[in-house]
Amino acid sequence: MRGPFVIRRRGGRADRTRAPRRAGHGVGRSLLAVGCGALPALAFPAPGLWWWAYLALVPWLLLIRTAPGARRAGLDGWFGGLGFMLAMHHWLLPSLHVFLLPLAALLGLLWLPWGWLVRALLGGTPSALRASVALLAVPSGWLLVELARSWEGLGGPWGLLGASQWQVTAALRLASVGGVWLVSLLVVAVNTAVVLLVAAPGQRLVGVAGIAACALVAGTAAWGVPVPDRSGTVRVGLVQPGVFDGPEGPERRLARAEALTRSLAGRPLDLVVWGESGVGADPTGDPVLAARLTALSRAVDAPLLVNVDARGADRPGIYKSAVLVDPKGLTGDRYDKMRLVPFGEYVPARGVLGWVTSAGRAAEEDRRRGTEPVVMTLPAREAGAPPLRVGPLVCFESAFPDMSRRLVRDGAALLVVQSATSTFQDSWAPAQHASLAALRAAETGRPVVHATLTGISAAYGPDGRRIGPAQGTGASVAVVRELPLSETTTFYVRWGDWPLYGALVVVGGVVAAGASGAFSPPGSAPRGRRARTARGSAGRRGR
């Protein structure tokens, strides 16, 4: 786009020169984009303003649609993405310090093409065609950004917009159909429709139709998608010892977990679950520790699922592993964590970035990865009853919808998440992490327990609703939750991430249609014929 001109008189004739651009305006707009991008974070725990998600993108979308050109729209998308990532991950500051800013800036680049897409469809005075396409394409573009940043190497799928709706019944039913992706799609579609109502008076009917369609989808999900059928119950003990710092912290934490576990003796239990890193040595190479854990399992007459964060006794390197112990001893069932937290559990490209360990709390030594998911089989408590099959996940892995889906397809009837958020205990992280289990339960139609060292520990039924109160970060407690079991196969478990494939088709179609001139982007106009001079040469414009 051509900038503004200033007309000066020189020797009786007009001279048009380009007016200098104001650098401060660009900086101010960029800062505004950062602020707009941060607004959706308020819809997540701990603020938990779930309803805000349906309006939170409106200021950001309004800003992008007024961009004077595609370059500025891309910058508005980039800086808004930076603000979103900073707001969603601000609790990582104690670990990453100033390095959080460049990481957020890098991830914010994923929203740059989304900015182009928003301006192309919503900018200027959108036609009915552009407005209608925007209701599908803008949410689809957002979904592709969520897909890209869900790669473990880019930090994983923390803060997917649909996850903010973890307490909303309609959203949980929708998740059982298309996963958290379908919920994100609906939320962004509502925001897009609101923008049409606010900023495109000529297309308010399209905006109203968009909101009505979203309401119809949500209502159909809430009342038309059945909850999973109940096929029995399972009683699970959750042990949350609390924070124990200092050199003797691990042993004190183990002793506290032992005492809490013994308090469950005499209560019928199918499984007792400890949080992540509850055991600081590998029991397969420590007979005394193995005997202690076996005695605990015998005392409560139930298998004990502990989590070991230690160097392997029979292999090199440090693993985070879910280890099953029953009254007879170590069962041999073991799951090694497969998806690790960047910087927290390993340093990407350590040869280049290893120096960050001196400035933050990045891992001094990379943890080793497991190679495959594991479904563990527990013995039946009653004669003739089928054995219970359990699918363990460790901490960060509960953010990945595909991992819980894979475990259920492999036969898991109960999903167990072992976590520890002690480093971020006073932040929004524990509440956000615990809420993810609700989405995983709704998606898979299986109960999920989220057991932590320091809170928040919680349990959810197959429909995603929480069973009993959550245990806060200040609690040192052992609780029992009786959870419904289900054998229902949800649509999401059967068909997987189909909303993502649909989003790829929609965005690809829009890009192809735009390239062929099917609809005009904002600011474009048909070019007229160039004037001809008396000699037949093309006249020059803008002279």
Side-chain angles (χ1 to χ4, degrees):
M1 293 188 62
R2 301 180 68 85
F5 290 90
V6 177
I7 300 179
R8 297 187 177 90
R9 294 281 177 181
R10 293 185 181 176
R13 83 178 200 187
D15 180 29
R16 297 202 310 171
T17 58
R18 194 178 298 275
R21 293 184 176 182
R22 292 181 297 170
H25 176 72
V27 173
R29 186 180 178 102
S30 297
L31 292 175
L32 181 59
V34 172
C36 290
L39 292 176
L42 298 176
F44 293 81
L49 305 176
W50 64 267
W51 53 268
W52 172 241
Y54 297 92
L55 299 171
L57 296 180
V58 171
W60 191 3
L61 290 168
L62 291 174
L63 180 68
I64 294 174
R65 73 175 296 274
T66 62
R71 177 179 177 274
R72 184 64 249 183
L75 290 175
D76 290 343
W78 179 14
F79 284 104
L82 184 154
F84 180 70
M85 297 309 293
L86 282 178
M88 285 304 305
H89 296 84
H90 70 274
W91 44 270
L92 286 172
L93 276 171
S95 295
L96 297 181
H97 298 297
V98 295
F99 302 110
L100 181 60
L101 182 60
L103 287 174
L106 176 65
L107 292 170
L109 282 169
L110 295 172
W111 277 272
L112 191 149
W114 186 70
W116 294 337
L117 180 68
V118 170
R119 180 183 179 274
L121 296 175
L122 294 176
T125 304
S127 64
L129 174 62
R130 277 206 287 136
S132 301
V133 171
L135 288 174
L136 285 176
V138 171
S140 295
W142 179 277
L143 209 60
L144 295 186
V145 174
E146 292 196 335
L147 170 62
R149 72 182 185 86
S150 293
W151 178 46
E152 177 196 350
L154 291 180
W158 193 280
L160 301 181
L161 196 56
S164 66
Q165 306 303 293
W166 68 280
Q167 293 187 87
V168 181
T169 300
L172 293 174
R173 302 278 29 90
L174 205 61
S176 73
V177 176
V180 67
W181 314 111
L182 189 56
V183 184
S184 287
L185 202 68
L186 181 75
V187 171
V188 183
V190 172
N191 278 271
T192 306
V194 172
V195 169
L196 291 173
L197 288 175
V198 171
Q203 304 304 330
R204 283 177 177 162
L205 185 59
V206 178
V208 170
I211 291 177
C214 291
L216 179 62
V217 170
T220 301
W223 290 287
V225 178
V227 298
D229 294 330
R230 181 168 173 163
S231 62
T233 60
V234 58
R235 289 175 59 85
V236 182
L238 282 70
V239 176
Q240 180 177 301
V243 178
F244 292 89
D245 296 321
E248 298 179 357
E251 178 56 35
R252 292 171 57 207
R253 182 170 59 237
L254 177 60
R256 178 59 179 162
E258 282 183 294
L260 290 171
T261 302
R262 290 186 184 279
S263 72
L264 299 175
R267 306 176 68 175
L269 295 170
D270 295 289
L271 179 67
V272 177
V273 182
W274 286 14
E276 180 188 15
S277 305
V279 179
D282 187 351
T284 60
D286 188 337
V288 175
L289 176 59
R292 288 173 68 179
L293 297 175
T294 301
L296 272 179
S297 177
R298 193 178 300 121
V300 295
D301 191 26
L304 177 63
L305 187 66
V306 301
N307 190 274
V308 176
D309 184 3
R311 197 170 302 278
D314 55 354
R315 53 187 174 171
I318 302 175
Y319 290 82
K320 285 195 173 181
S321 307
V323 176
L324 187 65
V325 185
D326 70 12
K328 297 179 181 179
L330 300 176
T331 66
D333 287 320
R334 183 187 193 113
Y335 166 67
D336 299 320
K337 187 176 183 181
M338 298 171 60
R339 297 185 183 174
L340 304 178
V341 180
F343 296 99
E345 293 171 337
Y346 78 102
V347 176
R350 183 176 286 273
V352 177
L353 300 176
W355 55 271
V356 302
T357 59
S358 62
R361 296 180 184 174
E364 294 290 342
E365 179 181 348
D366 291 349
R367 298 305 193 260
R368 302 294 182 93
R369 298 175 186 273
T371 57
E372 60 183 3
V374 173
V375 176
M376 303 176 179
T377 302
L378 307 184
R381 293 194 62 85
E382 299 177 2
L388 180 68
R389 305 195 71 195
V390 176
L393 297 168
V394 181
C395 196
F396 175 62
E397 293 178 327
S398 69
F400 294 86
D402 66 297
M403 296 195 74
S404 54
R405 176 174 177 258
R406 166 68 185 274
L407 288 171
V408 171
R409 289 178 66 88
D410 287 347
L414 170 69
L415 299 177
V416 174
V417 181
Q418 295 176 302
S419 174
T421 52
S422 55
T423 304
F424 315 107
Q425 190 172 16
D426 297 322
S427 71
W428 295 355
Q432 287 182 12
H433 197 184
S435 70
L436 296 176
L439 271 298
R440 303 294 85 86
E443 289 168 345
T444 61
R446 299 295 182 268
V448 179
V449 294
H450 181 88
T452 71
L453 291 181
T454 61
I456 296 173
S457 296
Y460 302 88
D463 58 356
R465 289 186 292 184
R466 193 171 65 201
I467 305 295
Q471 304 304 309
T473 55
S476 178
V477 66
V479 297
V480 176
R481 295 287 179 260
E482 184 169 335
L483 306 174
L485 292 172
S486 176
E487 296 178 355
T488 300
T489 300
T490 65
F491 194 90
Y492 177 70
V493 168
R494 186 180 299 276
W495 298 106
D497 300 325
W498 62 268
L500 295 175
Y501 306 133
L504 282 168
V505 171
V506 169
V507 173
V510 168
V511 171
S516 65
F519 51 81
S520 300
S524 64
R527 296 184 63 179
R529 285 189 172 185
R530 304 181 74 180
R532 296 280 179 174
T533 65
R535 295 183 180 181
S537 61
R540 295 183 180 179
R541 293 183 295 176
R543 294 286 299 245

